[in-house]
Amino acid sequence: MDMLTLTHVEKHFGEKQVLKDVTFSIPEHTVFGFVGKNGAGKTTAMKTILGLLCADGGEILVNGMPVRYGNTPTNRFVGYLPDVPEFYSYMTPGEYLGFCGEIAGMKAKEIKSRTEELLCLVGLKNEKPRIKGFSRGMKQRLGVAQALFGRPKLLICDEPTSALDPVGRKELLHILASAKEETTVLFSTHILSDVEHICEKIAFLHEGRIVLQGTLEEVRKLKKEAAMEIETERDKDAQILMSAFPFLKATGRNSLLLEDAKRMPDLLHFIADRRIKILRLERQEAALEDLFMEVVLNEGVS
């Protein structure tokens, strides 16, 4: 079953069209990467999914139910993590989650067990200080716990790793990957390496339109020719190859990148004829960043 479905969704702000025929779906227990540059329309799409904005066309279904602007019952299925979550800073993490449970009308026993479970999941079980002393990464982890507290069927994350350091990003990505055991995750980001780490399906949003979508494997296959990286034993051999084949790109002291695999036979003949010693010849998978830029540039041309 698809937990979230958008079908031909449109959104205008005055004369500016922000969402253009946006269509995608997310199966249950999937981490879905919603990828696009800043200003592509990701946040507008998420606000429309939450019923905070009124779509000008199309349909949105959450758990099979239509989203209605203003007061949508589908939000009982949704947890939301903004890019900068806010808390009552005088509380401890346990107190804050307990407060969230009380607001939701949960029983005291359930609040206690759920608080312990989630603080363990996000690595804050032993953190007793008040939230005002938390780092940005700790606040993001607490935000995940808060968003998951009511056992949502859909977790929406708006640029959750954008301001974190590498350690904080790695920790948060691990938590989100673990969360799919109990929910479906819509992961909005412009950091493509994060998508490659945890997402099974992705959609590229560019200027309000979905320009590419599918599983990670399907999207990568769209770039048919994989690049090859060549490492020579000697510096001067790398220079000889670059002089003979100007299309090679230097990626390191003795490392060269061949982006057009059709030229590989000529390059190998040249290497064999001159007995150039090669330390490494490695096929590179297409990077999402390269694919996205390729698609965006093609869109611009068309």
Side-chain angles (χ1 to χ4, degrees):
M1 173 183 173
D2 289 333
M3 182 50 58
L4 174 65
T5 303
L6 279 73
T7 308
H8 305 302
V9 173
E10 309 269 344
K11 179 62 186 175
H12 296 78
F13 290 113
E15 295 183 357
K16 181 177 176 59
Q17 186 172 6
V18 180
L19 297 178
K20 308 169 186 177
D21 194 30
V22 173
T23 299
F24 65 84
S25 60
I26 309 178
E28 285 183 292
H29 301 291
T30 299
V31 182
F32 185 92
F34 194 36
V35 181
K37 298 187 298 183
N38 292 332
K42 302 189 302 297
T43 297
T44 297
M46 288 183 289
K47 287 182 177 179
T48 308
I49 293 167
L50 292 167
L52 301 176
L53 293 174
C54 181
D56 297 318
E59 182 181 51
I60 302 174
L61 300 177
V62 174
N63 197 31
M65 295 179 59
V67 172
R68 303 298 180 208
Y69 167 64
N71 185 22
T72 178
T74 54
N75 278 354
R76 71 178 185 270
F77 303 123
V78 181
Y80 177 64
L81 175 65
D83 57 341
V84 184
E86 296 291 342
F87 308 97
Y88 293 108
S89 61
Y90 59 86
M91 291 182 172
T92 66
E95 289 171 345
Y96 180 76
L97 293 181
F99 174 66
C100 294
E102 290 174 7
I103 290 177
M106 297 169 65
K107 294 181 179 179
K109 185 176 181 180
E110 184 182 6
I111 291 174
K112 182 179 178 182
S113 63
R114 186 63 171 160
T115 296
E116 291 177 353
E117 176 187 356
L118 288 171
L119 289 179
C120 184
L121 173 67
V122 301
L124 295 175
K125 183 178 180 179
N126 298 318
E127 295 294 339
K128 306 301 182 185
R130 303 198 181 279
I131 298 170
K132 65 181 179 181
F134 276 20
S135 67
R136 178 70 182 271
M138 293 169 71
K139 288 181 179 179
Q140 289 292 73
R141 285 187 275 149
L142 180 58
V144 174
Q146 179 272 321
L148 289 173
F149 202 83
R151 302 184 190 277
K153 292 181 178 291
L154 174 66
L155 174 63
I156 297 177
C157 303
D158 186 3
E159 302 276 5
T161 62
S162 60
L164 298 181
D165 60 33
V167 174
R169 281 174 56 199
K170 183 177 180 180
E171 291 174 345
L172 190 62
L173 290 174
H174 176 72
I175 292 167
L176 293 177
S178 301
K180 77 170 185 177
E181 298 298 324
E182 65 172 74
T183 190
T184 302
V185 181
L186 173 60
F187 177 56
S188 164
T189 185
H190 63 271
I191 304 174
L192 292 163
S193 59
D194 289 351
V195 174
E196 291 180 299
H197 276 98
I198 67 168
C199 296
E200 298 133 280
K201 295 188 69 176
I202 57 175
F204 287 169
L205 188 71
H206 178 59
E207 295 183 352
R209 188 185 303 278
I210 300 292
V211 294
L212 186 64
Q213 66 174 304
T215 66
L216 206 55
E217 293 74 18
E218 289 169 345
V219 169
R220 279 181 170 147
K221 286 178 181 177
L222 293 176
K223 193 175 179 68
K224 297 181 175 60
E225 298 294 341
M228 301 294 293
E229 190 166 19
I230 303 161
E231 184 179 358
T232 63
E233 184 177 273
R234 300 183 303 177
D235 294 359
K236 71 175 185 178
D237 287 334
Q239 296 300 321
I240 290 170
L241 289 175
M242 288 191 70
S243 297
F245 301 95
F247 49 79
L248 291 173
K249 294 182 180 179
T251 58
R253 184 176 176 183
N254 296 349
S255 297
L256 305 171
L257 185 67
L258 173 66
E259 294 182 316
D260 185 357
K262 294 177 182 178
R263 297 178 180 265
M264 179 57 73
D266 293 337
L267 181 60
L268 291 177
H269 280 302
F270 185 90
I271 290 171
D273 289 343
R274 285 155 182 80
R275 298 184 179 276
I276 293 174
K277 292 183 178 181
I278 300 297
L279 296 179
R280 181 170 56 92
L281 182 62
E282 184 177 346
R283 186 177 187 271
Q284 290 191 337
E285 291 292 335
L288 282 186
E289 184 174 354
D290 295 334
L291 288 168
F292 183 63
M293 291 306 299
E294 188 176 297
V295 171
V296 168
L297 290 174
N298 288 339
E299 283 284 311
V301 171
S302 60

